[in-house]
Amino acid sequence: MALSTLGFVQYIGPTIMLLLSVFLFKESVSPVLLIGFALIWTALVVYAAASVRGTKLAKAR
C-alpha cells in the first residue's frame, strides 16, 4: 500500500467515531468541530483529485 493511501485511510477512523457519536450516541458536536472536519475532508478530496490527475497524465506520456 502506498504511503499516500495509508495516510488517507487513517482519516477514516476518527470520522467514523465522529459519525457514531453523533448519530448513534446522540452526542452534541460544536460547530467549530464540524467546520474543522469539513475543511480536512475538503483538503483530502483536493489532494486525491490532484493525485488521480497526476497519475492519469503520467500514464498518458
Side-chain angles (χ1 to χ4, degrees):
M1 181 181 297
L3 288 178
S4 60
T5 305
L6 180 61
F8 183 77
V9 169
Q10 288 180 337
Y11 283 96
I12 294 174
T15 303
I16 290 173
M17 291 181 71
L18 173 70
L19 293 174
L20 283 174
S21 69
V22 170
F23 296 113
L24 186 64
F25 300 115
K26 307 299 183 206
E27 295 282 331
S28 61
V29 180
S30 71
V32 174
L33 181 69
L34 293 177
I35 290 170
F37 263 89
L39 289 173
I40 289 169
W41 276 101
T42 301
L44 287 171
V45 167
V46 169
Y47 174 77
S51 179
V52 168
R53 184 173 183 254
T55 302
K56 285 183 180 180
L57 289 174
K59 284 184 181 180
R61 292 180 187 184

mmCIF file of all heavy atoms in Angstrom, residues 7-34:
data_model
loop_
_atom_site.group_PDB
_atom_site.id
_atom_site.type_symbol
_atom_site.label_atom_id
_atom_site.label_comp_id
_atom_site.label_asym_id
_atom_site.label_seq_id
_atom_site.Cartn_x
_atom_site.Cartn_y
_atom_site.Cartn_z
ATOM 1 N N GLY A 7 -2.052 7.162 4.505
ATOM 2 C CA GLY A 7 -2.379 8.418 5.168
ATOM 3 C C GLY A 7 -3.838 8.786 5.006
ATOM 4 O O GLY A 7 -4.481 9.258 5.944
ATOM 5 N N PHE A 8 -4.378 8.541 3.831
ATOM 6 C CA PHE A 8 -5.798 8.820 3.574
ATOM 7 C C PHE A 8 -6.683 7.918 4.423
ATOM 8 O O PHE A 8 -7.670 8.368 5.014
ATOM 9 C CB PHE A 8 -6.092 8.626 2.089
ATOM 10 C CG PHE A 8 -7.503 8.945 1.704
ATOM 11 C CD1 PHE A 8 -7.921 10.250 1.573
ATOM 12 C CD2 PHE A 8 -8.414 7.931 1.470
ATOM 13 C CE1 PHE A 8 -9.224 10.557 1.217
ATOM 14 C CE2 PHE A 8 -9.712 8.216 1.116
ATOM 15 C CZ PHE A 8 -10.114 9.529 0.987
ATOM 16 N N VAL A 9 -6.334 6.654 4.523
ATOM 17 C CA VAL A 9 -7.125 5.693 5.279
ATOM 18 C C VAL A 9 -7.138 6.041 6.767
ATOM 19 O O VAL A 9 -8.124 5.790 7.460
ATOM 20 C CB VAL A 9 -6.593 4.260 5.040
ATOM 21 C CG1 VAL A 9 -7.190 3.249 6.000
ATOM 22 C CG2 VAL A 9 -6.867 3.839 3.604
ATOM 23 N N GLN A 10 -6.082 6.641 7.274
ATOM 24 C CA GLN A 10 -6.016 6.976 8.693
ATOM 25 C C GLN A 10 -6.995 8.089 9.076
ATOM 26 O O GLN A 10 -7.244 8.292 10.260
ATOM 27 C CB GLN A 10 -4.600 7.369 9.081
ATOM 28 C CG GLN A 10 -3.675 6.178 9.098
ATOM 29 C CD GLN A 10 -2.259 6.549 9.473
ATOM 30 O OE1 GLN A 10 -1.845 7.688 9.320
ATOM 31 N NE2 GLN A 10 -1.523 5.580 9.961
ATOM 32 N N TYR A 11 -7.556 8.783 8.139
ATOM 33 C CA TYR A 11 -8.575 9.788 8.434
ATOM 34 C C TYR A 11 -9.959 9.164 8.613
ATOM 35 O O TYR A 11 -10.865 9.794 9.128
ATOM 36 C CB TYR A 11 -8.650 10.837 7.325
ATOM 37 C CG TYR A 11 -7.535 11.834 7.394
ATOM 38 C CD1 TYR A 11 -6.391 11.681 6.641
ATOM 39 C CD2 TYR A 11 -7.620 12.936 8.232
ATOM 40 C CE1 TYR A 11 -5.355 12.592 6.714
ATOM 41 C CE2 TYR A 11 -6.594 13.852 8.318
ATOM 42 C CZ TYR A 11 -5.467 13.675 7.546
ATOM 43 O OH TYR A 11 -4.456 14.565 7.623
ATOM 44 N N ILE A 12 -10.117 7.929 8.185
ATOM 45 C CA ILE A 12 -11.421 7.281 8.258
ATOM 46 C C ILE A 12 -11.809 6.947 9.695
ATOM 47 O O ILE A 12 -12.971 7.115 10.079
ATOM 48 C CB ILE A 12 -11.449 6.034 7.351
ATOM 49 C CG1 ILE A 12 -11.316 6.479 5.895
ATOM 50 C CG2 ILE A 12 -12.711 5.219 7.556
ATOM 51 C CD1 ILE A 12 -11.194 5.352 4.914
ATOM 52 N N GLY A 13 -10.854 6.496 10.509
ATOM 53 C CA GLY A 13 -11.145 6.114 11.892
ATOM 54 C C GLY A 13 -11.780 7.235 12.707
ATOM 55 O O GLY A 13 -12.874 7.052 13.276
ATOM 56 N N PRO A 14 -11.147 8.401 12.802
ATOM 57 C CA PRO A 14 -11.761 9.493 13.555
ATOM 58 C C PRO A 14 -13.100 9.958 12.978
ATOM 59 O O PRO A 14 -13.999 10.349 13.722
ATOM 60 C CB PRO A 14 -10.733 10.620 13.471
ATOM 61 C CG PRO A 14 -9.446 9.939 13.207
ATOM 62 C CD PRO A 14 -9.787 8.733 12.393
ATOM 63 N N THR A 15 -13.242 9.870 11.677
ATOM 64 C CA THR A 15 -14.501 10.274 11.054
ATOM 65 C C THR A 15 -15.617 9.306 11.427
ATOM 66 O O THR A 15 -16.742 9.728 11.730
ATOM 67 C CB THR A 15 -14.339 10.356 9.530
ATOM 68 O OG1 THR A 15 -13.289 11.275 9.239
ATOM 69 C CG2 THR A 15 -15.615 10.809 8.861
ATOM 70 N N ILE A 16 -15.319 8.013 11.433
ATOM 71 C CA ILE A 16 -16.319 7.026 11.838
ATOM 72 C C ILE A 16 -16.700 7.241 13.299
ATOM 73 O O ILE A 16 -17.878 7.159 13.662
ATOM 74 C CB ILE A 16 -15.805 5.597 11.592
ATOM 75 C CG1 ILE A 16 -15.742 5.322 10.090
ATOM 76 C CG2 ILE A 16 -16.693 4.557 12.283
ATOM 77 C CD1 ILE A 16 -15.092 4.013 9.718
ATOM 78 N N MET A 17 -15.712 7.531 14.140
ATOM 79 C CA MET A 17 -16.008 7.786 15.551
ATOM 80 C C MET A 17 -16.899 9.015 15.718
ATOM 81 O O MET A 17 -17.808 9.022 16.553
ATOM 82 C CB MET A 17 -14.715 7.938 16.340
ATOM 83 C CG MET A 17 -13.958 6.642 16.465
ATOM 84 S SD MET A 17 -12.453 6.782 17.397
ATOM 85 C CE MET A 17 -13.114 7.023 19.029
ATOM 86 N N LEU A 18 -16.648 10.053 14.938
ATOM 87 C CA LEU A 18 -17.491 11.242 14.997
ATOM 88 C C LEU A 18 -18.919 10.912 14.576
ATOM 89 O O LEU A 18 -19.878 11.288 15.246
ATOM 90 C CB LEU A 18 -16.928 12.353 14.113
ATOM 91 C CG LEU A 18 -17.824 13.585 13.984
ATOM 92 C CD1 LEU A 18 -17.854 14.355 15.304
ATOM 93 C CD2 LEU A 18 -17.366 14.475 12.853
ATOM 94 N N LEU A 19 -19.059 10.194 13.479
ATOM 95 C CA LEU A 19 -20.395 9.837 12.998
ATOM 96 C C LEU A 19 -21.136 8.947 13.991
ATOM 97 O O LEU A 19 -22.337 9.138 14.229
ATOM 98 C CB LEU A 19 -20.292 9.153 11.636
ATOM 99 C CG LEU A 19 -19.799 10.031 10.486
ATOM 100 C CD1 LEU A 19 -19.600 9.203 9.221
ATOM 101 C CD2 LEU A 19 -20.733 11.184 10.241
ATOM 102 N N LEU A 20 -20.434 7.995 14.595
ATOM 103 C CA LEU A 20 -21.066 7.143 15.604
ATOM 104 C C LEU A 20 -21.509 7.952 16.814
ATOM 105 O O LEU A 20 -22.610 7.743 17.341
ATOM 106 C CB LEU A 20 -20.103 6.043 16.052
ATOM 107 C CG LEU A 20 -19.917 4.868 15.115
ATOM 108 C CD1 LEU A 20 -18.830 3.934 15.640
ATOM 109 C CD2 LEU A 20 -21.209 4.115 14.924
ATOM 110 N N SER A 21 -20.661 8.860 17.259
ATOM 111 C CA SER A 21 -21.014 9.642 18.446
ATOM 112 C C SER A 21 -22.219 10.549 18.183
ATOM 113 O O SER A 21 -23.052 10.722 19.055
ATOM 114 C CB SER A 21 -19.821 10.470 18.925
ATOM 115 O OG SER A 21 -19.517 11.497 18.009
ATOM 116 N N VAL A 22 -22.319 11.081 16.986
ATOM 117 C CA VAL A 22 -23.427 11.988 16.677
ATOM 118 C C VAL A 22 -24.721 11.221 16.426
ATOM 119 O O VAL A 22 -25.764 11.551 16.999
ATOM 120 C CB VAL A 22 -23.074 12.870 15.459
ATOM 121 C CG1 VAL A 22 -24.287 13.643 14.981
ATOM 122 C CG2 VAL A 22 -21.946 13.819 15.813
ATOM 123 N N PHE A 23 -24.673 10.189 15.594
ATOM 124 C CA PHE A 23 -25.902 9.529 15.174
ATOM 125 C C PHE A 23 -26.322 8.371 16.073
ATOM 126 O O PHE A 23 -27.510 8.129 16.246
ATOM 127 C CB PHE A 23 -25.785 9.050 13.725
ATOM 128 C CG PHE A 23 -25.628 10.184 12.758
ATOM 129 C CD1 PHE A 23 -24.459 10.362 12.055
ATOM 130 C CD2 PHE A 23 -26.663 11.085 12.573
ATOM 131 C CE1 PHE A 23 -24.318 11.414 11.166
ATOM 132 C CE2 PHE A 23 -26.530 12.145 11.690
ATOM 133 C CZ PHE A 23 -25.348 12.312 10.984
ATOM 134 N N LEU A 24 -25.384 7.665 16.654
ATOM 135 C CA LEU A 24 -25.737 6.516 17.479
ATOM 136 C C LEU A 24 -25.903 6.899 18.950
ATOM 137 O O LEU A 24 -26.851 6.479 19.603
ATOM 138 C CB LEU A 24 -24.675 5.417 17.338
ATOM 139 C CG LEU A 24 -24.960 4.087 18.021
ATOM 140 C CD1 LEU A 24 -26.185 3.426 17.401
ATOM 141 C CD2 LEU A 24 -23.759 3.182 17.912
ATOM 142 N N PHE A 25 -24.970 7.703 19.454
ATOM 143 C CA PHE A 25 -24.987 8.050 20.874
ATOM 144 C C PHE A 25 -25.579 9.427 21.160
ATOM 145 O O PHE A 25 -25.611 9.865 22.300
ATOM 146 C CB PHE A 25 -23.574 7.955 21.450
ATOM 147 C CG PHE A 25 -22.995 6.579 21.334
ATOM 148 C CD1 PHE A 25 -21.892 6.345 20.528
ATOM 149 C CD2 PHE A 25 -23.560 5.519 22.015
ATOM 150 C CE1 PHE A 25 -21.352 5.080 20.416
ATOM 151 C CE2 PHE A 25 -23.037 4.246 21.910
ATOM 152 C CZ PHE A 25 -21.925 4.019 21.110
ATOM 153 N N LYS A 26 -26.019 10.123 20.103
ATOM 154 C CA LYS A 26 -26.700 11.428 20.238
ATOM 155 C C LYS A 26 -25.862 12.460 21.002
ATOM 156 O O LYS A 26 -26.379 13.239 21.788
ATOM 157 C CB LYS A 26 -28.059 11.266 20.912
ATOM 158 C CG LYS A 26 -28.967 10.247 20.292
ATOM 159 C CD LYS A 26 -29.310 10.584 18.872
ATOM 160 C CE LYS A 26 -30.290 9.549 18.337
ATOM 161 N NZ LYS A 26 -30.263 9.391 16.935
ATOM 162 N N GLU A 27 -24.555 12.458 20.777
ATOM 163 C CA GLU A 27 -23.676 13.449 21.391
ATOM 164 C C GLU A 27 -23.833 14.784 20.660
ATOM 165 O O GLU A 27 -24.098 14.830 19.466
ATOM 166 C CB GLU A 27 -22.213 13.000 21.289
ATOM 167 C CG GLU A 27 -21.895 11.750 22.061
ATOM 168 C CD GLU A 27 -21.734 12.001 23.531
ATOM 169 O OE1 GLU A 27 -21.331 13.122 23.901
ATOM 170 O OE2 GLU A 27 -22.000 11.072 24.309
ATOM 171 N N SER A 28 -23.636 15.856 21.384
ATOM 172 C CA SER A 28 -23.655 17.169 20.737
ATOM 173 C C SER A 28 -22.243 17.494 20.248
ATOM 174 O O SER A 28 -21.258 17.164 20.899
ATOM 175 C CB SER A 28 -24.135 18.237 21.712
ATOM 176 O OG SER A 28 -23.256 18.316 22.809
ATOM 177 N N VAL A 29 -22.188 18.112 19.093
ATOM 178 C CA VAL A 29 -20.906 18.452 18.477
ATOM 179 C C VAL A 29 -20.909 19.945 18.187
ATOM 180 O O VAL A 29 -21.876 20.478 17.647
ATOM 181 C CB VAL A 29 -20.696 17.652 17.173
ATOM 182 C CG1 VAL A 29 -19.380 18.001 16.534
ATOM 183 C CG2 VAL A 29 -20.774 16.168 17.447
ATOM 184 N N SER A 30 -19.814 20.587 18.532
ATOM 185 C CA SER A 30 -19.739 22.031 18.318
ATOM 186 C C SER A 30 -19.577 22.346 16.827
ATOM 187 O O SER A 30 -18.998 21.556 16.068
ATOM 188 C CB SER A 30 -18.578 22.625 19.102
ATOM 189 O OG SER A 30 -17.347 22.236 18.531
ATOM 190 N N PRO A 31 -20.066 23.492 16.408
ATOM 191 C CA PRO A 31 -19.902 23.900 15.010
ATOM 192 C C PRO A 31 -18.436 24.023 14.606
ATOM 193 O O PRO A 31 -18.087 23.751 13.464
ATOM 194 C CB PRO A 31 -20.602 25.257 14.945
ATOM 195 C CG PRO A 31 -21.557 25.257 16.086
ATOM 196 C CD PRO A 31 -20.931 24.409 17.149
ATOM 197 N N VAL A 32 -17.589 24.386 15.555
ATOM 198 C CA VAL A 32 -16.152 24.513 15.250
ATOM 199 C C VAL A 32 -15.572 23.159 14.848
ATOM 200 O O VAL A 32 -14.793 23.063 13.899
ATOM 201 C CB VAL A 32 -15.398 25.110 16.456
ATOM 202 C CG1 VAL A 32 -13.910 25.104 16.224
ATOM 203 C CG2 VAL A 32 -15.897 26.504 16.762
ATOM 204 N N LEU A 33 -15.971 22.106 15.557
ATOM 205 C CA LEU A 33 -15.501 20.765 15.221
ATOM 206 C C LEU A 33 -15.986 20.347 13.842
ATOM 207 O O LEU A 33 -15.224 19.782 13.047
ATOM 208 C CB LEU A 33 -15.967 19.760 16.273
ATOM 209 C CG LEU A 33 -15.520 18.320 16.063
ATOM 210 C CD1 LEU A 33 -14.017 18.205 16.276
ATOM 211 C CD2 LEU A 33 -16.259 17.395 16.997
ATOM 212 N N LEU A 34 -17.233 20.630 13.538
ATOM 213 C CA LEU A 34 -17.771 20.280 12.225
ATOM 214 C C LEU A 34 -17.078 21.047 11.100
ATOM 215 O O LEU A 34 -16.805 20.482 10.038
ATOM 216 C CB LEU A 34 -19.280 20.528 12.194
ATOM 217 C CG LEU A 34 -20.114 19.608 13.085
ATOM 218 C CD1 LEU A 34 -21.576 20.005 13.025
ATOM 219 C CD2 LEU A 34 -19.926 18.157 12.685
#
